[in-house]
Amino acid sequence: MTARVGVVTFPGSLDDGDAARAVRIAGAEPVRLWHGDPQLHGVDAVVLPGGFSYGDYLRCGAIARFAPVMETIVDAAQGGLPVLGICNGFQILCEAHLLPGALTRNQHLHFRNRDQILRIESTGTAWTNAFQPGQEVLIPVKNGEGCYVADSATLDALEAEGRVVARYLGGNPNGSQRDIAAITNPAGNVVGIMPHPEHAVEALTGPSLDGLGFFTSVLKHLVGAPA
């Protein structure tokens, strides 16, 4: 039976179509979810895509966090539903308190768009089990508010608990503390990543195929999950 992966569209979403295509290429059925509809329509996992939800008013992700669909997603994620937040989706996960810390304005105050090398630090999550620990991947980054910040106690806990999922290599594009590019919750089902794996799934349009592993990982996870 084909896994069904929901991709949420908020007002101002930019990369929902790309995320849905990545889900399809990985071998799952993409299911488009609408911000105003609290129903998840029986999906097995959810992707919160990149973009500028609600115009990034107040703070990036601050309004999207109150969307009807997010109330359902928060409850489902706490129950084990795999959720991947990409860029703006990462910001939304932090605003919804599914992940700690916050994403703030890039330290250099410029929007940064480039192909970025990452090192995969944790392969024990629902979204990274297809990688090897320490594997280096090439994935585009494009953000203006991508600087991950948290207090020292939170950063130390993320390190100690193995919850840093990926780090920037070859230069930090936004000033994120400890070069953090992605983190996970304690259960490993919720992952937030600032770079865009959905833009690295096809040779024609991406710098590599390295992003595909995030989407095939969740299918592997779902196969092994208890019924």
Side-chain angles (χ1 to χ4, degrees), residues 40-227:
L40 298 185
H41 303 283
V43 299
D44 303 300
V46 167
V47 176
L48 303 178
F52 306 91
S53 59
Y54 296 91
D56 282 348
Y57 288 111
L58 299 183
R59 292 183 309 275
C60 301
I63 298 177
R65 165 253 194 281
F66 292 103
V69 74
M70 281 304 301
E71 295 182 19
T72 311
I73 289 172
V74 169
D75 288 342
Q78 291 171 342
L81 180 78
V83 179
L84 176 66
I86 303 170
C87 196
N88 186 222
F90 189 2
Q91 295 162 342
I92 295 169
L93 290 176
C94 290
E95 290 286 343
H97 306 298
L98 286 174
L99 293 175
L103 285 308
T104 62
R105 185 71 178 164
N106 292 352
Q107 280 191 346
H108 45 66
L109 304 182
H110 296 286
F111 189 92
R112 187 65 76 232
N113 182 5
R114 73 186 192 198
D115 296 332
Q116 176 70 47
I117 300 173
L118 307 178
R119 182 175 64 238
I120 303 297
E121 301 281 11
S122 173
T123 59
T125 81
W127 299 93
T128 55
N129 60 68
F131 297 103
Q132 296 297 317
Q135 183 174 342
E136 296 182 11
V137 297
L138 182 64
I139 293 175
V141 64
K142 53 174 188 175
N143 62 73
E145 289 83 19
C147 179
Y148 181 76
V149 298
D151 60 73
S152 295
T154 298
L155 292 169
D156 289 344
L158 289 172
E159 300 273 14
E161 297 167 13
R163 292 169 53 197
V164 176
V165 172
R167 296 185 204 270
Y168 298 111
L169 290 183
N172 186 326
N174 46 43
S176 288
Q177 292 178 312
R178 305 193 189 183
D179 296 329
I180 290 174
I183 62 172
T184 186
N185 67 336
N189 62 302
V190 178
V191 169
I193 182 169
M194 184 48 57
H196 288 261
E198 78 281 15
H199 294 329
V201 297
E202 293 179 296
L204 178 64
T205 58
S208 72
L209 303 181
D210 293 343
L212 192 58
F214 288 89
F215 301 95
T216 58
S217 286
V218 76
L219 302 188
K220 180 181 176 183
H221 170 80
L222 291 170
V223 168

